[in-house]
Amino acid sequence: MSQYEHTCLIRGDGGRTIRAILDRICNKWTLLIVATLDGGALRFTELHQQIPGISQRMLTLTLRHLEHDGLVSRTAYAEVPPRVEYALTPTGKSLIPPALALAGWAIEHVPHIEASRARHQTPPE
């Protein structure tokens, strides 16, 4: 039995909980939002400007999910105009090291992956 073989059986639900968590945190928008908030709290508009390609709707949905999961906090200030800031919680901050490790792995293996993709795109002779 490998050291990871048991991970999908930890909660006795056939791995549904772990898969749902991994689906959430491995989402490209989640990782970009978490990485962006690693620099400190930001307003919605600032986040939107710093994450190229994300729609307002996707940013809203992802922030809502991250807040519900306890990775991001949302603070509304009673000001005129209203101000809302998003920040990483301690749990959200704990995601930074594994996310950086995964990004490092991707950077290290880009040449191999691109070469493999190129081989598979060339039609066989």
Side-chain angles (χ1 to χ4, degrees), residues 32-46:
L32 289 172
I33 290 168
V34 168
T36 303
L37 288 174
D38 189 36
L42 292 171
R43 296 176 75 168
F44 183 90
T45 303
E46 295 168 322

Side-chain angles (χ1 to χ4, degrees), residues 11 16-26 69:
R11 295 181 56 94
R16 283 187 299 277
T17 302
I18 290 172
R19 283 194 312 272
I21 291 169
L22 290 175
D23 283 346
R24 178 71 45 83
I25 64 173
C26 292
D69 288 347

Side-chain angles (χ1 to χ4, degrees), residues 2-116:
S2 82
Q3 67 183 39
Y4 304 109
E5 194 170 329
H6 70 285
T7 57
C8 288
L9 304 176
I10 288 173
R11 295 181 56 94
D13 62 0
R16 283 187 299 277
T17 302
I18 290 172
R19 283 194 312 272
I21 291 169
L22 290 175
D23 283 346
R24 178 71 45 83
I25 64 173
C26 292
N27 174 293
K28 67 179 176 180
W29 299 124
T30 294
L31 291 177
L32 289 172
I33 290 168
V34 168
T36 303
L37 288 174
D38 189 36
L42 292 171
R43 296 176 75 168
F44 183 90
T45 303
E46 295 168 322
L47 261 175
H48 190 248
Q49 290 169 346
Q50 292 187 34
I51 303 174
I54 193 168
S55 67
Q56 287 187 0
R57 181 179 183 280
M58 186 53 66
L59 180 56
T60 299
L61 288 173
T62 307
L63 285 169
R64 188 175 300 140
H65 290 309
L66 293 174
E67 183 182 2
H68 290 177
D69 288 347
L71 301 177
V72 168
S73 65
R74 179 184 184 275
T75 305
Y77 296 92
E79 299 175 354
V80 177
R83 177 171 57 109
V84 176
E85 288 185 344
Y86 297 90
L88 291 178
T89 64
T91 303
K93 287 179 190 271
S94 74
L95 184 55
I96 296 296
L100 290 176
L102 185 57
W105 177 91
I107 290 166
E108 180 182 336
H109 292 90
V110 163
H112 170 76
I113 291 168
E114 286 181 337
S116 181

